[in-house]
Amino acid sequence: MFLFKRLKIRSFEMGLHFRDGEFRGLIGVGSHWIFDPFNRTNVEVVSRRAPFLAHEKLDLIVKSGVLKGYAQVIDLQDDQRALVWIDGRFARILPPGQHVVWLGQREVRVEVVDVRAPRFEHVDLKVVLQSATAREQLETGAVNRGCVGVLFLDGRCAGLLDPGPWAFWKRSADVRVVEVDLRETTIDVPGQEIMSADKVTLRLNASATYRVVDPRKAVCTIDDHKQALYREAQLALRAVVGGRELDALLADKEAVAVEAAGLLAPRAEALGLAVASLGVRDLILPGDMKDLMNKVTEARKAAEANLITRREETAALRSQANTAKLLADNPTLMRLRELEVLEKVVAGGKLNVILGEKGLADRVLNLL
């Protein structure tokens, strides 16, 4: 049996002296002889290169007061957390409880944070969030570019979050962030079967472009503002189409879109939205109505062609009547016309029999 034990503590180490399970103190750097004939003494050598002292009897060690000058004791309440920076680099987030950080070997900086304010904001937020301990202590997320986050704490709307990362202390509040896209968005309103004022059923395809102008209202007023706007656009289009006859609808689709947009705008505003445009892409008639419209168009075109033909015939007859009257009133002009005819007959090299007014025939024979 050995009465003495030899112990060597190096420059970066510290000895924790226990006797019969009770903490007796620290053993510093150097060689030490410990008298222990009954093997009741235990010395645990720990490295101070590891910044934190972790021990199952840490409370006893702290309570003894021997750590003063060798280590910094951090005692965190339930509403506190500590950010620890070692050698200028972020190391971890400390939870509530007692923690001991060795001094001397490493440059240690501790920042105590009050978590009664649920949101965690820090100039080095992105660096802190990369730590594994951050995921244990914080609820994290990010708002995408072009969007805004509507924040709810314990079920109540608490504000808006700008694009970028966000973090809230766990168990400090029930946190929910609803992301809202602020960019212009287009919704399609396809295949709407609507009856016009003259009882014609047609299919209508339309689209609406909108953007969110009041994110709080868009989230708190309705569970799905996009679906709500879709329903409101349906109702507006039905109201406009139902008040017009088919011919008016086909003649001016733009007027239908403008009137429908006017009806939709105040309804969208109540949802926190602004309608940029509403357009009617297609008006689709049923098959039998298409055939009927084609027949009407064909009959209209045929009537127009017939009218043009009659106008041309009337103009031709009017021109002939004017010529005949002119020749009858001017014998000299009549004579010149007869000579022109005779010239054409002779030039053709053949004789033609011309039947006409008696005087004209006799004169032609005399000329021959």
Side-chain angles (χ1 to χ4, degrees):
M1 177 182 293
F2 296 97
L3 299 180
F4 292 91
K5 294 180 180 179
R6 186 174 183 276
L7 181 68
K8 184 176 182 180
I9 306 296
R10 291 174 289 187
S11 61
F12 57 86
E13 294 177 332
M14 183 67 70
L16 306 179
H17 183 197
F18 292 89
R19 183 178 179 83
D20 294 332
E22 296 288 339
F23 180 71
R24 296 299 184 183
L26 300 177
I27 299 178
V29 178
S31 296
H32 306 272
W33 290 93
I34 298 176
F35 181 70
D36 186 20
F38 301 107
N39 197 26
R40 297 163 58 185
T41 300
N42 180 36
V43 177
E44 297 182 20
V45 179
V46 296
S47 174
R48 291 191 294 163
R49 296 173 62 191
F52 297 94
L53 171 61
H55 198 279
E56 62 177 349
K57 297 180 180 179
L58 184 63
D59 57 332
L60 298 178
I61 299 173
V62 171
K63 188 176 181 179
S64 68
V66 298
L67 293 175
K68 187 175 181 180
Y70 296 101
Q72 178 181 353
V73 178
I74 306 169
D75 193 356
L76 299 176
Q77 304 301 315
D78 290 338
D79 57 0
Q80 292 178 322
R81 304 290 186 274
L83 310 180
V84 180
W85 308 78
I86 299 176
D87 294 335
R89 294 183 291 271
F90 181 75
R92 66 176 64 182
I93 300 178
L94 298 179
Q98 287 185 332
H99 308 274
V100 174
V101 181
W102 292 113
L103 301 176
Q105 293 294 321
R106 309 282 290 274
E107 180 185 350
V108 179
R109 178 167 63 90
V110 179
E111 183 178 345
V112 179
V113 180
D114 191 336
V115 301
R116 285 176 292 184
R119 187 177 182 183
F120 172 63
E121 297 180 275
H122 198 277
V123 65
D124 294 317
L125 177 62
K126 292 183 178 180
V127 175
V128 174
L129 294 183
Q130 293 176 0
S131 169
T133 56
R135 292 188 288 272
E136 298 174 0
Q137 300 293 330
L138 294 168
E139 293 186 23
T140 63
V143 178
N144 292 318
R145 181 176 56 186
C147 302
V148 68
V150 181
L151 172 63
F152 291 88
L153 296 178
D154 295 328
R156 297 182 179 180
C157 184
L160 302 177
L161 301 180
D162 294 328
W166 51 262
F168 291 86
W169 295 108
K170 288 185 177 181
R171 295 175 292 278
S172 62
D174 180 18
V175 178
R176 185 167 72 96
V177 177
V178 180
E179 187 175 273
V180 179
D181 196 334
L182 298 181
R183 296 168 294 183
E184 282 196 352
T185 305
T186 299
I187 59 171
D188 291 326
V189 188
Q192 301 301 305
E193 293 193 357
I194 308 174
M195 183 176 291
S196 64
D198 49 357
K199 309 303 180 184
V200 177
T201 301
L202 50 85
R203 290 173 63 85
L204 181 145
N205 294 325
S207 62
T209 302
Y210 74 96
R211 62 186 180 89
V212 178
V213 295
D214 189 339
R216 291 174 183 259
K217 189 181 294 185
V219 173
C220 298
T221 303
I222 196 77
D223 59 343
D224 188 344
H225 62 267
K226 186 173 183 178
Q227 185 64 27
L229 183 65
Y230 173 80
R231 290 193 297 267
E232 295 294 346
Q234 282 183 314
L235 294 175
L237 288 169
R238 290 180 181 277
V240 174
V241 173
R244 294 171 181 254
E245 295 186 351
L246 180 61
D247 290 342
L249 293 172
L250 296 177
D252 195 355
K253 291 193 299 183
E254 185 64 26
V256 175
V258 171
E259 185 176 349
L263 294 177
L264 182 60
R267 301 178 186 178
E269 184 179 358
L271 299 174
L273 312 176
V275 177
S277 65
L278 176 64
V280 177
R281 296 201 306 266
D282 305 299
L283 280 174
I284 305 172
L285 299 174
D288 54 348
M289 183 57 66
K290 286 182 181 180
D291 294 339
L292 181 59
M293 293 296 293
N294 289 335
K295 290 180 181 179
V296 170
T297 302
E298 183 179 354
R300 183 181 295 116
K301 294 301 181 183
E304 291 176 358
N306 188 41
L307 180 59
I308 293 173
T309 301
R310 295 295 180 266
R311 287 176 180 173
E312 294 296 331
E313 290 178 352
T314 301
L317 290 174
R318 186 178 293 111
S319 177
Q320 291 177 0
N322 292 336
T323 301
K325 183 177 180 182
L326 184 61
L327 292 175
D329 294 342
N330 194 333
T332 303
L333 186 59
M334 180 65 180
R335 180 63 176 170
L336 290 174
R337 189 63 178 269
E338 290 172 354
L339 291 175
E340 290 177 359
V341 173
L342 181 59
E343 181 182 4
K344 291 180 181 179
V345 171
V346 174
K350 55 184 178 179
L351 183 63
N352 293 320
V353 179
I354 301 174
L355 299 177
E357 201 174 357
K358 182 178 179 182
L360 177 61
D362 291 343
R363 287 194 292 272
V364 172
L365 291 175
N366 291 334
L367 289 174
L368 293 174

